[in-house]
Amino acid sequence: MAQILRRRLPGTWLTLIGPHLDDHGLQVHPQRGALRGLVTEAYAEDLRVNLLLPSRASSGDELLDAPVGQTVLSLALPVMNHLRGNVIEVPLPPAPKLRVTDPQLL
């Protein structure tokens, strides 16, 4: 994807959302490392790429997960064009422990 952007849409931006930070499975370490390497070295190709690492998995609640979307939109602003190669940890409020799925309990 990054190569296509470089060739066909120069000057555009790409914000990747990586594995959330509360996931400690063996597979996420190489994933984060690969994404971090891509993002931090993209400047050599004149790419505007940043990586977001949310503090937890999505809760499914738009209000609780909004900081991720707000950060993506902020990075897309033309005045933020100078930001590239950043790995940004996005703190999110804790997800509720109890999820009510039975309509009779509401």
Side-chain angles (χ1 to χ4, degrees):
M1 182 185 299
Q3 290 176 344
I4 292 170
L5 286 176
R6 183 177 54 99
R7 277 185 265 148
R8 298 193 179 183
L9 297 169
T12 194
W13 58 276
L14 178 63
T15 300
L16 303 171
I17 301 174
H20 50 89
L21 295 171
D22 67 350
D23 187 353
H24 300 288
L26 187 58
Q27 77 283 356
V28 297
H29 300 291
Q31 290 171 354
R32 281 192 205 113
L35 290 171
R36 189 179 301 267
L38 170 72
V39 168
T40 57
E41 297 301 321
Y43 71 89
E45 299 287 333
D46 198 30
L47 288 171
R48 184 177 165 204
V49 183
N50 293 291
L51 172 64
L52 302 183
L53 298 172
S55 61
R56 61 163 171 74
S58 173
S59 68
D61 183 328
E62 291 179 26
L63 291 175
L64 294 176
D65 298 338
V68 174
Q70 291 166 347
T71 306
V72 170
L73 292 175
S74 295
L75 288 169
L77 294 172
V79 297
M80 301 300 234
N81 191 33
H82 63 285
L83 291 180
R84 58 184 69 211
N86 294 290
V87 178
I88 302 168
E89 294 183 8
V90 181
L92 297 172
K97 300 279 187 207
L98 177 64
R99 294 189 182 175
V100 179
T101 57
D102 186 355
Q104 293 177 346
L105 296 176
L106 294 175

